[in-house]
Amino acid sequence: MSDELQRIMAIDDPYRLLREVTTRLADAQQEVTELARLRRRVVQDLHAQGLSYAQIAEKAGLSRGRIHQIRHTGPAPEGAFLGRGSVVVATPLRRDDEHGRTVVAMDDVSSGKRLEDLARTYGLEVASEHVSVGGEIDLNRDGLVVVCGPRMSQEMWDTYAQDPVLSWERAEDGPWTVADRRTGTVYRSGQDSDPARPYDVGYLGRLPRPDGNGSLLAIAGIHTQGSLGVVHLLANDLNTLWGQVGDRRFSTLVGVEYDPETSEPKSAELLCPLYRHDEEVTEAAG
Protein backbone atom coordinates (compact mmCIF):
# COMPACT_ATOMS: atom_id res chain seq x y z
CA MET A 1 0.00 0.00 0.00
CA SER A 2 1.43 3.38 -1.05
CA ASP A 3 2.07 6.22 1.40
CA GLU A 4 -0.46 8.36 -0.50
CA LEU A 5 -3.18 5.76 -0.15
CA GLN A 6 -2.45 5.34 3.55
CA ARG A 7 -2.67 9.13 4.00
CA ILE A 8 -6.05 9.28 2.30
CA MET A 9 -7.44 6.32 4.23
CA ALA A 10 -6.47 8.01 7.51
CA ILE A 11 -8.67 11.08 6.85
CA ASP A 12 -11.49 11.30 9.41
CA ASP A 13 -13.61 14.05 7.87
CA PRO A 14 -15.93 12.21 5.41
CA TYR A 15 -16.38 15.25 3.13
CA ARG A 16 -12.65 15.86 2.87
CA LEU A 17 -12.18 12.13 2.34
CA LEU A 18 -14.69 12.17 -0.52
CA ARG A 19 -12.89 15.11 -2.15
CA GLU A 20 -9.45 13.52 -1.76
CA VAL A 21 -10.58 10.14 -3.12
CA THR A 22 -12.32 11.77 -6.10
CA THR A 23 -9.24 13.84 -6.94
CA ARG A 24 -6.89 10.90 -6.51
CA LEU A 25 -9.04 8.66 -8.72
CA ALA A 26 -9.01 11.28 -11.49
CA ASP A 27 -5.23 11.65 -11.24
CA ALA A 28 -4.75 7.89 -11.16
CA GLN A 29 -6.92 7.40 -14.25
CA GLN A 30 -4.87 9.97 -16.17
CA GLU A 31 -1.70 8.22 -15.10
CA VAL A 32 -3.04 4.82 -16.18
CA THR A 33 -4.04 6.26 -19.57
CA GLU A 34 -0.61 7.79 -20.18
CA LEU A 35 1.19 4.61 -19.06
CA ALA A 36 -0.93 2.60 -21.47
CA ARG A 37 -0.14 5.09 -24.25
CA LEU A 38 3.57 4.86 -23.50
CA ARG A 39 3.47 1.05 -23.42
CA ARG A 40 1.76 0.90 -26.81
CA ARG A 41 4.25 3.39 -28.23
CA VAL A 42 7.22 1.28 -27.08
CA VAL A 43 5.79 -1.84 -28.72
CA GLN A 44 5.06 0.04 -31.95
CA ASP A 45 8.54 1.56 -32.03
CA LEU A 46 10.23 -1.81 -31.47
CA HIS A 47 8.09 -3.45 -34.14
CA ALA A 48 8.91 -0.61 -36.56
CA GLN A 49 12.60 -1.29 -35.93
CA GLY A 50 12.10 -4.78 -37.34
CA LEU A 51 11.50 -6.88 -34.23
CA SER A 52 8.70 -9.42 -34.35
CA TYR A 53 6.06 -9.57 -31.65
CA ALA A 54 7.57 -12.87 -30.57
CA GLN A 55 11.01 -11.27 -30.16
CA ILE A 56 9.57 -8.33 -28.21
CA ALA A 57 7.63 -10.72 -25.99
CA GLU A 58 10.68 -12.85 -25.26
CA LYS A 59 12.87 -9.90 -24.33
CA ALA A 60 10.14 -8.24 -22.23
CA GLY A 61 9.15 -11.44 -20.46
CA LEU A 62 5.56 -11.27 -21.72
CA SER A 63 3.49 -13.54 -23.95
CA ARG A 64 3.30 -12.94 -27.69
CA GLY A 65 -0.48 -12.61 -27.37
CA ARG A 66 -0.07 -9.91 -24.72
CA ILE A 67 2.32 -7.93 -26.88
CA HIS A 68 -0.05 -8.18 -29.85
CA GLN A 69 -2.90 -7.00 -27.64
CA ILE A 70 -0.89 -4.02 -26.38
CA ARG A 71 -0.05 -3.07 -29.96
CA HIS A 72 -3.71 -2.86 -30.98
CA THR A 73 -5.51 -1.64 -27.84
CA GLY A 74 -5.32 1.33 -25.53
CA PRO A 75 -4.87 5.02 -26.36
CA ALA A 76 -2.89 5.70 -29.52
CA PRO A 77 0.60 7.19 -29.03
CA GLU A 78 -0.06 10.09 -31.39
CA GLY A 79 -2.50 11.56 -28.87
CA ALA A 80 0.56 12.88 -27.04
CA PHE A 81 0.93 15.38 -29.91
CA LEU A 82 -1.90 17.34 -28.27
CA GLY A 83 -0.83 16.79 -24.66
CA ARG A 84 -0.44 14.27 -21.87
CA GLY A 85 -3.16 13.43 -19.39
CA SER A 86 -5.24 16.56 -19.94
CA VAL A 87 -5.41 19.51 -22.31
CA VAL A 88 -6.90 22.99 -22.20
CA VAL A 89 -8.21 24.37 -25.50
CA ALA A 90 -8.29 28.18 -25.56
CA THR A 91 -10.05 30.27 -28.22
CA PRO A 92 -10.30 34.07 -28.43
CA LEU A 93 -13.07 36.41 -27.41
CA ARG A 94 -13.65 39.35 -29.74
CA ARG A 95 -15.08 42.85 -29.28
CA ASP A 96 -18.13 43.83 -31.28
CA ASP A 97 -17.63 47.60 -31.32
CA GLU A 98 -20.85 48.22 -33.24
CA HIS A 99 -23.00 46.69 -30.50
CA GLY A 100 -20.58 47.17 -27.59
CA ARG A 101 -20.45 43.54 -26.57
CA THR A 102 -18.11 40.57 -26.39
CA VAL A 103 -18.60 37.85 -29.01
CA VAL A 104 -16.97 34.70 -30.35
CA ALA A 105 -16.40 33.93 -34.02
CA MET A 106 -18.29 30.82 -35.15
CA ASP A 107 -15.17 29.49 -36.88
CA ASP A 108 -13.26 29.79 -33.60
CA VAL A 109 -16.06 27.94 -31.81
CA SER A 110 -15.90 25.18 -34.41
CA SER A 111 -12.11 24.96 -34.19
CA GLY A 112 -12.20 24.70 -30.40
CA LYS A 113 -15.01 22.13 -30.32
CA ARG A 114 -13.32 19.92 -32.92
CA LEU A 115 -10.03 20.06 -31.06
CA GLU A 116 -11.79 19.06 -27.84
CA ASP A 117 -13.51 16.15 -29.59
CA LEU A 118 -10.23 15.06 -31.16
CA ALA A 119 -8.43 15.12 -27.82
CA ARG A 120 -11.15 13.02 -26.21
CA THR A 121 -10.78 10.31 -28.86
CA TYR A 122 -7.21 9.86 -27.58
CA GLY A 123 -8.28 9.43 -23.98
CA LEU A 124 -7.30 12.94 -22.87
CA GLU A 125 -9.19 14.96 -20.28
CA VAL A 126 -10.33 18.22 -21.85
CA ALA A 127 -11.16 21.70 -20.55
CA SER A 128 -11.89 24.87 -22.50
CA GLU A 129 -11.43 28.58 -21.89
CA HIS A 130 -11.05 31.87 -23.73
CA VAL A 131 -8.31 34.33 -24.50
CA SER A 132 -9.75 37.58 -23.12
CA VAL A 133 -10.80 40.46 -25.36
CA GLY A 134 -7.64 42.23 -24.21
CA GLY A 135 -5.54 39.23 -25.24
CA GLU A 136 -4.64 38.06 -21.72
CA ILE A 137 -4.06 34.36 -21.11
CA ASP A 138 -1.82 32.40 -18.76
CA LEU A 139 0.50 30.49 -21.08
CA ASN A 140 2.64 28.92 -18.34
CA ARG A 141 0.61 25.71 -18.02
CA ASP A 142 0.92 22.15 -19.25
CA GLY A 143 -1.31 20.80 -22.01
CA LEU A 144 -2.28 24.16 -23.49
CA VAL A 145 -3.63 24.36 -27.07
CA VAL A 146 -4.24 27.99 -28.10
CA VAL A 147 -6.23 28.94 -31.20
CA CYS A 148 -5.33 32.61 -31.46
CA GLY A 149 -3.32 34.75 -33.85
CA PRO A 150 -0.69 37.31 -32.86
CA ARG A 151 -2.80 40.39 -33.58
CA MET A 152 -5.36 39.46 -30.90
CA SER A 153 -2.96 38.90 -27.99
CA GLN A 154 0.35 40.43 -26.98
CA GLU A 155 1.18 37.21 -25.10
CA MET A 156 0.68 35.20 -28.28
CA TRP A 157 2.55 37.79 -30.36
CA ASP A 158 5.55 37.34 -28.08
CA THR A 159 5.19 33.56 -28.32
CA TYR A 160 5.06 33.50 -32.13
CA ALA A 161 8.14 35.74 -32.16
CA GLN A 162 10.11 32.79 -30.71
CA ASP A 163 9.69 30.85 -33.98
CA PRO A 164 13.12 30.71 -35.67
CA VAL A 165 11.72 30.12 -39.17
CA LEU A 166 8.20 31.48 -39.67
CA SER A 167 7.20 35.06 -38.88
CA TRP A 168 3.92 36.97 -38.93
CA GLU A 169 4.23 40.23 -40.86
CA ARG A 170 2.02 43.00 -42.22
CA ALA A 171 2.19 43.47 -45.99
CA GLU A 172 2.78 46.95 -47.36
CA ASP A 173 -0.86 47.12 -48.45
CA GLY A 174 -2.09 46.16 -44.97
CA PRO A 175 -3.07 42.47 -44.75
CA TRP A 176 -1.32 39.97 -42.49
CA THR A 177 1.04 37.45 -44.07
CA VAL A 178 3.39 34.73 -42.87
CA ALA A 179 6.99 34.72 -44.10
CA ASP A 180 9.29 31.71 -44.34
CA ARG A 181 12.78 32.95 -43.48
CA ARG A 182 14.33 29.75 -44.82
CA THR A 183 13.00 30.15 -48.38
CA GLY A 184 12.05 33.81 -48.48
CA THR A 185 8.47 32.91 -49.45
CA VAL A 186 5.69 35.14 -48.14
CA TYR A 187 2.30 33.46 -47.78
CA ARG A 188 -0.86 35.48 -48.23
CA SER A 189 -4.55 34.67 -47.77
CA GLY A 190 -6.76 34.34 -50.82
CA GLN A 191 -9.21 36.70 -49.14
CA ASP A 192 -6.60 39.45 -49.38
CA SER A 193 -5.68 38.78 -53.02
CA ASP A 194 -7.08 40.32 -56.19
CA PRO A 195 -9.26 38.69 -57.27
CA ALA A 196 -10.24 37.23 -53.89
CA ARG A 197 -10.65 33.46 -53.61
CA PRO A 198 -11.69 31.02 -50.84
CA TYR A 199 -8.21 30.13 -49.69
CA ASP A 200 -6.41 30.80 -46.42
CA VAL A 201 -3.15 30.00 -44.66
CA GLY A 202 -2.96 28.45 -41.22
CA TYR A 203 -0.08 28.21 -38.76
CA LEU A 204 0.65 25.19 -36.56
CA GLY A 205 3.52 25.08 -34.09
CA ARG A 206 4.74 23.88 -30.72
CA LEU A 207 6.39 26.90 -29.13
CA PRO A 208 8.13 27.66 -25.83
CA ARG A 209 6.15 28.91 -22.85
CA PRO A 210 7.17 32.31 -21.46
CA ASP A 211 8.54 30.69 -18.29
CA GLY A 212 10.75 28.32 -20.30
CA ASN A 213 9.34 25.29 -18.48
CA GLY A 214 7.57 23.60 -21.35
CA SER A 215 5.74 24.20 -24.61
CA LEU A 216 2.28 25.02 -25.90
CA LEU A 217 0.56 24.13 -29.15
CA ALA A 218 -0.30 27.26 -31.17
CA ILE A 219 -2.83 27.38 -34.02
CA ALA A 220 -3.79 30.44 -36.05
CA GLY A 221 -5.00 31.40 -39.47
CA ILE A 222 -4.47 34.61 -41.34
CA HIS A 223 -8.26 34.48 -41.16
CA THR A 224 -10.42 32.11 -39.13
CA GLN A 225 -10.76 29.66 -42.02
CA GLY A 226 -7.03 28.98 -41.73
CA SER A 227 -7.44 27.79 -38.13
CA LEU A 228 -10.27 25.50 -39.19
CA GLY A 229 -8.02 24.06 -41.87
CA VAL A 230 -5.26 23.32 -39.36
CA VAL A 231 -7.73 21.47 -37.15
CA HIS A 232 -8.96 19.56 -40.22
CA LEU A 233 -5.38 18.49 -40.93
CA LEU A 234 -4.85 17.40 -37.32
CA ALA A 235 -8.03 15.33 -37.35
CA ASN A 236 -7.05 13.54 -40.54
CA ASP A 237 -3.27 13.23 -40.32
CA LEU A 238 -2.22 13.38 -36.68
CA ASN A 239 -0.31 10.09 -36.87
CA THR A 240 1.94 11.41 -39.65
CA LEU A 241 2.60 14.69 -37.83
CA TRP A 242 3.44 12.81 -34.62
CA GLY A 243 5.76 10.49 -36.51
CA GLN A 244 7.75 13.44 -37.86
CA VAL A 245 8.03 15.74 -34.85
CA GLY A 246 6.79 13.81 -31.79
CA ASP A 247 6.57 16.19 -28.84
CA ARG A 248 9.45 18.41 -29.99
CA ARG A 249 9.13 22.09 -30.90
CA PHE A 250 8.32 22.76 -34.54
CA SER A 251 6.25 24.92 -36.86
CA THR A 252 4.66 24.64 -40.28
CA LEU A 253 2.07 26.28 -42.52
CA VAL A 254 -1.11 24.82 -43.95
CA GLY A 255 -2.85 25.85 -47.17
CA VAL A 256 -6.64 25.63 -46.87
CA GLU A 257 -9.22 25.56 -49.64
CA TYR A 258 -12.67 26.14 -48.13
CA ASP A 259 -16.33 26.48 -49.01
CA PRO A 260 -17.03 30.24 -49.23
CA GLU A 261 -20.60 29.73 -47.98
CA THR A 262 -19.81 27.69 -44.85
CA SER A 263 -16.04 28.22 -44.25
CA GLU A 264 -15.74 24.41 -44.07
CA PRO A 265 -12.34 23.15 -45.29
CA LYS A 266 -12.39 21.28 -48.59
CA SER A 267 -8.70 20.44 -48.42
CA ALA A 268 -5.73 21.20 -46.19
CA GLU A 269 -2.12 20.51 -47.08
CA LEU A 270 1.31 21.50 -45.83
CA LEU A 271 2.83 24.48 -47.62
CA CYS A 272 6.32 23.99 -46.17
CA PRO A 273 8.25 21.35 -44.23
CA LEU A 274 7.63 20.62 -40.57
CA TYR A 275 10.49 22.77 -39.32
CA ARG A 276 12.08 21.22 -36.23
CA HIS A 277 13.23 24.14 -34.11
CA ASP A 278 16.10 22.27 -32.44
CA GLU A 279 17.56 21.61 -35.88
CA GLU A 280 17.03 25.20 -36.98
CA VAL A 281 18.79 26.60 -33.91
CA THR A 282 21.69 24.14 -34.32
CA GLU A 283 22.07 25.03 -37.98
CA ALA A 284 22.02 28.76 -37.23
CA ALA A 285 24.66 28.30 -34.55
CA GLY A 286 26.82 26.31 -36.93
Side-chain angles (χ1 to χ4, degrees), residues 31-44:
E31 185 174 326
V32 167
T33 298
E34 290 309 311
L35 286 171
R37 193 191 313 280
L38 178 59
R39 182 176 62 175
R40 181 174 173 182
R41 176 185 174 185
V42 171
V43 171
Q44 289 184 188

Side-chain angles (χ1 to χ4, degrees), residues 16-170:
R16 181 186 167 204
L17 176 61
L18 183 58
R19 288 196 302 271
E20 291 275 355
V21 169
T22 301
T23 300
R24 180 57 185 150
L25 278 172
D27 292 343
Q29 184 56 58
Q30 287 188 8
E31 185 174 326
V32 167
T33 298
E34 290 309 311
L35 286 171
R37 193 191 313 280
L38 178 59
R39 182 176 62 175
R40 181 174 173 182
R41 176 185 174 185
V42 171
V43 171
Q44 289 184 188
D45 288 348
L46 290 171
H47 189 59
Q49 293 169 21
L51 276 71
S52 68
Y53 292 136
Q55 290 173 316
I56 298 171
E58 180 182 358
K59 291 180 179 294
L62 300 170
S63 69
R64 183 182 183 281
R66 185 65 174 134
I67 293 297
H68 192 271
Q69 181 186 41
I70 291 170
R71 169 63 179 83
H72 294 93
T73 60
E78 59 266 26
F81 185 94
L82 301 172
R84 299 185 187 279
S86 63
V87 298
V88 176
V89 177
T91 53
L93 294 174
R94 301 169 185 266
R95 181 69 178 173
D96 180 354
D97 292 328
E98 181 178 350
H99 298 93
R101 61 185 180 183
T102 299
V103 299
V104 292
M106 286 308 301
D107 290 347
D108 290 337
V109 172
S110 296
S111 292
K113 180 64 167 57
R114 292 172 192 182
L115 282 169
E116 292 171 28
D117 291 343
L118 179 63
R120 289 190 181 98
T121 65
Y122 288 101
L124 296 164
E125 295 290 327
V126 180
S128 63
E129 65 177 55
H130 291 295
V131 180
S132 73
V133 172
E136 294 84 12
I137 181 173
D138 177 12
L139 299 178
N140 295 321
R141 293 174 286 165
D142 294 332
L144 197 58
V145 182
V146 185
V147 183
C148 181
R151 69 183 181 87
M152 300 190 67
S153 166
Q154 183 63 48
E155 283 89 342
M156 289 306 297
W157 172 268
D158 294 339
T159 299
Y160 285 115
Q162 303 304 307
D163 190 319
V165 188
L166 303 174
S167 64
W168 291 84
E169 301 175 356
R170 295 293 292 267

Side-chain angles (χ1 to χ4, degrees), residues 176-231:
W176 282 93
T177 64
V178 187
D180 184 329
R181 298 188 187 99
R182 170 68 72 84
T183 65
T185 305
V186 176
Y187 295 92
R188 187 183 183 106
S189 173
Q191 293 186 39
D192 304 320
S193 302
D194 188 13
R197 63 189 181 98
Y199 174 83
D200 201 33
V201 177
Y203 175 104
L204 171 65
R206 184 173 292 112
L207 302 171
R209 289 169 18 180
D211 64 3
N213 294 326
S215 302
L216 60 92
L217 198 63
I219 296 171
I222 293 180
H223 299 285
T224 56
Q225 292 88 347
S227 299
L228 269 176
V230 171
V231 176

